[in-house]
Structures are given as C-alpha cells and as structure tokens.
Amino acid sequence: MERQTRQQTRQQWWMRILLGVILVLVIGTALVFNRAIHPYAKLRSDAELVAAKRAQASNFDGFWWNTRDKSYVTLSATRKNQPVYVVIAQKTGKVNVVLKDRGTTRNAILQKTWARYQPKRVLNAGLRMHKNKLVWDVGFVARNGRLGYASYDYRSGRLLSVIRDL
C-alpha cells in the first residue's frame, strides 16, 4: 500500500514538472513572438498618430509598409467621411492623402497581379511615391520560387514595370 502511494506521489511530481516545463515554453514562445512583432506594431501606431494629426484621418482599416527604394507606410482610413489612403514617407515624414475613388484600389491591383503572374503568394502590396506619382508596388513569389515585383500607376492601374526572377 505504501509503495503504491509513493509511486503515485512520484507520478504526480513528474506530471507537475512536465506541466511546468510546458507552461514555461508557452510563455517563452509568446514573449518571443511579442518582441518580434513589436517594431511593426509600433510603426503602425506611430503612423496612425501622424495620419490623425497631420491628415485628419480616422477609422484606420489597413496598414502596409513598402520598403522598395525608400520606406513608405500606407494607411487606409477615412477623412471627412470619405475613404482615403494616407501615404507617409518614413524618412521625411511627408504626408500624401489621396481619395480611394480617384485611383485603383489595393484589391484591384492584387487581382491584376494574381491574374497576370499567378504567383504562389503575394508578399506585400503598398503605395509609394515614384517620380512625383503614386504607384502600387506588389512583391510576390512566382511559381518557380523566385521573387518578383510589379509596379502599377495608382490613377490608371496601368502596369509600369515588372522585375522577375530575383
């Protein structure tokens, strides 16, 4: 009888130790993940503050970070009850606000990219300034596993350039 009790006690301790180790691993993974996304979350938060203050934008429902040649952040928002994109140059802080109905939407550009290049997946799609014009840049992984970038004119949706097989 005493032997069974010792065995049960030992098993209970091993279970507690195992649960403790699992708990430590779960908490550690959550902390690492939180640290990994913190710069992205801070960038978004800072961009929303700039867009609210300098562009009078609110109701943010999209955020994209474009780092092709210069770094830009784009927010989808509303201003005076109209849907807009707020494009912020990260280095200079210059803010451009464009009405969504004056150009091509992100979803329309993504549809064009999927139809034309049939990528494995799209990595990023965001607005940036190029020669004083807004362009959509779409980064994707092609079927052959190589990277590609397509740039589209914001106003017309016309393909401006494509880089493939990187």
Side-chain angles (χ1 to χ4, degrees):
M1 194 78 147
E2 190 178 312
R3 190 173 160 152
Q4 276 185 335
T5 308
R6 273 195 228 162
Q7 232 177 1
Q8 287 174 343
T9 305
R10 228 181 255 150
Q11 286 176 346
Q12 288 173 346
W13 276 106
W14 280 111
M15 287 301 289
R16 288 179 183 159
I17 289 170
L18 181 62
L19 286 173
V21 167
I22 290 171
L23 186 62
V24 166
L25 287 174
V26 167
I27 290 171
T29 302
L31 289 173
V32 167
F33 182 74
N34 187 32
R35 290 248 180 193
I37 66 167
H38 178 70
Y40 185 82
K42 176 148 177 40
L43 178 64
R44 181 178 183 152
S45 175
D46 291 348
E48 287 179 359
L49 287 172
V50 169
K53 186 175 181 180
R54 297 191 37 211
Q56 293 79 44
S58 61
N59 301 327
F60 302 103
D61 61 355
F63 172 79
W64 305 283
W65 188 9
N66 184 328
T67 57
R68 183 163 168 193
D69 54 354
K70 295 178 183 171
S71 190
Y72 292 90
V73 292
T74 304
L75 294 153
S76 175
T78 57
R79 182 170 99 169
K80 299 177 185 172
N81 294 323
Q82 292 188 308
V84 295
Y85 291 118
V86 181
V87 183
I88 305 167
Q90 236 182 324
K91 188 174 183 179
T92 64
K94 184 175 180 186
V95 176
N96 290 292
V97 181
V98 292
L99 296 171
K100 284 185 183 181
D101 64 3
R102 298 272 170 92
T104 313
T105 65
R106 182 175 188 270
N107 285 342
I109 292 300
L110 289 173
Q111 287 173 352
K112 284 184 177 197
T113 302
W114 281 103
R116 186 171 189 147
Y117 302 108
Q118 299 160 354
K120 269 190 204 177
R121 67 186 168 127
V122 170
L123 301 173
N124 190 13
L127 284 170
R128 71 178 172 103
M129 294 299 293
H130 178 70
K131 297 181 182 177
N132 295 323
K133 289 173 59 175
L134 276 173
V135 297
W136 283 107
D137 275 341
V138 181
F140 59 89
V141 177
R143 294 258 177 232
N144 63 6
R146 300 228 169 150
L147 292 177
Y149 289 94
S151 294
Y152 299 87
D153 180 67
Y154 172 72
R155 299 272 183 222
S156 67
R158 186 175 55 89
L159 180 66
L160 298 174
S161 66
V162 66
I163 302 170
R164 297 180 83 173
D165 296 326
L166 294 176

